[in-house]
Amino acid sequence: MMADDTASTALGIEVAGAGPGWAELTMTVTDTMVNGHGIGHGGYVFLFADTAFACACNSHGPVTVAAGADVTFVAPVYQGDRLTARATERTRYGRSGIYDVTVTRGDEVVAEFRGRSRTLNG
């Protein structure tokens, strides 16, 4: 899936590990990801967490998409920060699922994301 994800790969997002129901990705905040306040734009942090979520919820095989997601920004990120996103499946029921993603800079949590998935028919 990541090989065809132009948006994520163009941002330098890399898969560090993955398995059934989980994924770990890394990304470095670049100068083009910084907003007018000199901090990493929240949209990029959301996209990074969403990509980890996508890898985890698609790990079972069938095409699965986001039904919704929420993010809480805990701490600002800055140009040059190396981030890690760890996505973990909480539950799957029918065609739906819930996944949590923690985004860290080293040992510091910078964002928490919860995604709700839906597996497509066919």
Side-chain angles (χ1 to χ4, degrees):
M1 182 187 82
M2 281 296 288
D4 294 327
D5 187 339
T6 307
S8 297
T9 56
L11 295 175
I13 296 174
E14 299 176 334
V15 177
W22 71 274
E24 182 174 303
L25 280 61
T26 58
M27 178 184 81
T28 299
V29 179
T30 67
D31 61 336
T32 60
M33 297 176 185
V34 176
N35 66 21
H37 298 293
I39 61 177
H41 192 291
Y44 287 108
V45 176
F46 185 97
L47 182 149
F48 179 48
D50 185 55
T51 301
F53 161 56
C55 289
C57 69
N58 278 279
S59 66
H60 298 289
V63 175
T64 304
V65 298
D70 300 293
V71 68
T72 300
F73 301 111
V74 178
V77 300
Y78 301 96
Q79 180 181 342
D81 284 353
R82 184 75 172 162
L83 305 179
T84 301
R86 292 178 185 90
T88 306
E89 182 178 276
R90 294 299 176 206
T91 189
R92 285 182 15 200
Y93 51 100
R95 292 175 36 220
S96 299
I98 298 173
Y99 294 76
D100 287 335
V101 182
T102 300
V103 180
T104 57
R105 171 184 45 227
D107 293 331
E108 180 185 12
V109 174
V110 297
E112 291 286 352
F113 173 106
R114 173 158 278 190
R116 296 172 304 282
S117 68
R118 188 73 171 167
T119 301
L120 301 180
N121 285 330

